[in-house]
Amino acid sequence: MRHVQRAYDGLLTLMAVTAGLLLVWLMVSIVLSVGLRNAGLQPWAWLFTSSEYALLYMTMLGAPWLVREKGHVHIELLTAALPGPAQRLVSRVVAAACVLVSALLAWKGAELFLTNLARNDFDVRAYYFPRAYLTVAFPISFGFMAVEFARFVVGPDLMHSGQAGVHE
């Protein structure tokens, strides 16, 4: 079981590092595109499209790691005002709701991916790109997010610290 946990943690870290590298690519592609335009040249057609794809993948690949690190946006005004037992209950109920929403989005993302695969759909802009390569990120990302939120439901750690404004 320990090996599975380490492999899972490694995969989440790899996804987060890939998201970080995609952020660097976004910076490079924007600087390159602006530089080419300022030089009176036309940027390559694939440059803009690759930036759009990078935005999608960066968001999807980084989200599960952000959930694990409590880097997602949440408001602790209510939980900070509650006594300890109520705070724990509310935090776990909110995490359970996040599990349900993430699992539903993973399911719908899987349906979309399989539909794109079956239809052999392509994104046709700068070049032909199989749409399934884009939509495969949805079930993977939301599936991992469901797992990470589930850790806050049943694990010892809570999603909310109960200390509104302390972490800013």
Side-chain angles (χ1 to χ4, degrees):
M1 187 62 173
R2 208 173 221 136
H3 294 337
V4 172
Q5 179 67 37
R6 287 175 59 168
Y8 176 79
D9 290 345
L11 182 57
L12 234 57
T13 301
L14 177 65
M15 290 168 58
V17 168
T18 303
L21 292 172
L22 288 170
L23 183 61
V24 171
W25 167 246
L26 279 171
M27 181 200 65
V28 168
S29 67
I30 290 168
V31 167
L32 188 59
S33 180
V34 169
L36 287 169
R37 286 183 194 276
N38 285 339
L41 302 171
Q42 180 66 32
W44 304 287
W46 59 266
L47 195 60
F48 183 73
T49 306
S50 71
S51 297
E52 289 179 344
Y53 295 162
L55 279 171
L56 171 69
Y57 277 111
M58 181 181 68
T59 304
M60 291 290 106
L61 293 176
W65 182 82
L66 282 173
V67 171
R68 169 174 287 181
E69 298 297 319
K70 301 179 189 177
H72 55 288
V73 174
H74 61 275
I75 299 171
E76 297 206 36
L77 187 61
L78 174 65
T79 56
L82 294 173
Q87 185 183 87
R88 286 187 290 280
L89 177 66
V90 168
S91 184
R92 292 193 193 281
V93 167
V94 168
C98 291
V99 169
L100 291 175
V101 170
S102 296
L104 176 66
L105 290 172
W107 177 265
K108 292 311 232 175
E111 285 181 348
L112 178 62
F113 166 70
L114 292 172
T115 299
N116 290 149
L117 206 58
R119 291 182 182 168
N120 201 23
D121 288 340
F122 282 86
D123 183 28
V124 183
R125 285 184 282 169
Y127 50 93
Y128 289 90
F129 192 76
R131 194 162 289 187
Y133 289 172
L134 297 172
T135 57
V136 72
F138 296 126
I140 293 170
S141 176
F142 286 112
F144 283 137
M145 281 191 280
V147 170
E148 289 303 313
F149 281 121
R151 293 172 82 164
F152 292 121
V153 175
V154 297
D157 199 16
L158 293 176
M159 191 164 64
H160 302 90
S161 69
Q163 299 174 349
V166 173
H167 299 306
E168 284 80 41

